[in-house]
Amino acid sequence: AMVDQNLKVTKAEMAVASEQLEETGAILVEMKKAYSGDLSKIDKMEEERQAALVVFDEMLKSTGYAQYETAYQIMKEKYTPIVDSIASHLEEIALEEDENAKKSMSSATTLMMIAMASVLLVLGVSIIVAMRLGRKIAKSISKPVQEIEGAAKQLSEGNLNVQIAYNGKDELGRLADSMRASCSFMQEVIEDADNLLKEIAEGNFQA
């Protein structure tokens, strides 16, 4: 704007610069809402921006009167230091937020690892409990089955004095009850037949 000799172009460039200063104010307002650090830094930048606006008006008047050298001196001695200070504050905040973001990412990664470890631990415990429960259930089923199987084998060998200790309300319990009842019934039948044969042997055919 200062080196161009066309006043129309100069005004257009100065208008763009003015809009950018106003936009910077809106950006600082949004930054203040989101920034988690020392808000006085943003307040300081806003003060500097307001000071830059005042200096900017001085430059604008000088360029309006085609006093380009004066405008340049104002820019060099007053405006540029203020803008540089704002840029320095922005860079400082950017580095701070970048560091905070890295810390947050590190914390999130740590939490994720803890969560994964917890899930694996719960899964491992669940598997162990399931295995033990499975063995217990298998044992609770296999023991009465073996007992009933042993009783059936003794019956097949002619031993009617079979003792089945298992009692239950499930299918195996009913099977054990049936076998005990069958053994008792066969014992009674054999005892009756034995008594009958003894009576016949003694000549008593009326038994």
Side-chain angles (χ1 to χ4, degrees):
M2 292 171 199
V3 296
D4 200 301
Q5 299 302 312
N6 187 329
L7 186 59
K8 185 177 180 180
V9 173
T10 298
K11 287 183 177 181
E13 294 294 338
M14 294 298 282
V16 171
S18 179
E19 287 178 7
Q20 290 175 344
L21 276 175
E22 293 298 331
E23 289 175 1
T24 302
I27 291 171
L28 290 177
V29 170
E30 292 303 317
M31 281 181 62
K32 195 168 185 178
K33 294 177 182 177
Y35 184 48
S36 58
D38 185 3
L39 295 178
S40 64
K41 293 179 182 178
I42 297 179
D43 291 335
K44 176 66 175 175
M45 283 192 289
E46 176 57 22
E47 290 175 7
E48 290 174 333
R49 190 185 73 86
Q50 293 294 338
L53 285 170
V54 174
V55 176
F56 187 83
D57 284 339
E58 292 181 33
M59 291 191 299
L60 187 60
K61 289 176 182 178
S62 297
T63 54
Y65 292 115
Q67 298 173 351
Y68 298 112
E69 290 184 8
T70 302
Y72 178 76
Q73 284 299 119
I74 294 172
M75 184 193 75
K76 185 178 179 181
E77 295 173 5
K78 296 182 180 180
Y79 188 75
T80 299
I82 295 174
V83 173
D84 287 344
S85 178
I86 293 174
S88 177
H89 289 313
L90 284 171
E91 185 177 359
E92 183 182 340
I93 289 174
L95 290 172
E96 182 182 338
E97 288 299 288
D98 182 60
E99 189 64 28
N100 289 337
K102 289 178 181 178
K103 289 179 180 178
S104 297
M105 179 64 72
S106 178
S107 299
T109 302
T110 302
L111 288 173
M112 184 178 69
M113 295 299 293
I114 292 173
M116 288 178 64
S118 299
V119 170
L120 290 174
L121 178 62
V122 171
L123 182 60
V125 171
S126 298
I127 291 173
I128 292 172
V129 170
M131 290 174 64
R132 290 182 177 177
L133 186 60
R135 283 199 294 268
K136 186 175 181 180
I137 292 173
K139 187 177 180 181
S140 68
I141 294 174
S142 62
K143 187 175 180 180
V145 168
Q146 290 173 356
E147 186 179 4
I148 293 170
E149 183 182 9
K153 186 176 181 182
Q154 291 182 54
L155 281 173
S156 67
E157 294 172 354
N159 181 14
L160 297 179
N161 295 315
V162 176
Q163 299 296 321
I164 302 175
Y166 181 74
N167 283 293
K169 296 181 179 180
D170 54 6
E171 289 80 0
L172 291 174
R174 289 195 290 272
L175 179 60
D177 291 339
S178 297
M179 289 198 68
R180 280 191 288 266
S182 297
C183 289
S184 177
F185 176 73
M186 284 188 287
Q187 282 179 330
E188 290 177 2
V189 170
I190 291 173
E191 286 177 3
D192 287 344
D194 187 52
N195 290 332
L196 183 60
L197 289 172
K198 284 180 180 179
E199 293 291 330
I200 293 173
E202 292 175 357
N204 181 11
F205 295 97
Q206 300 297 322

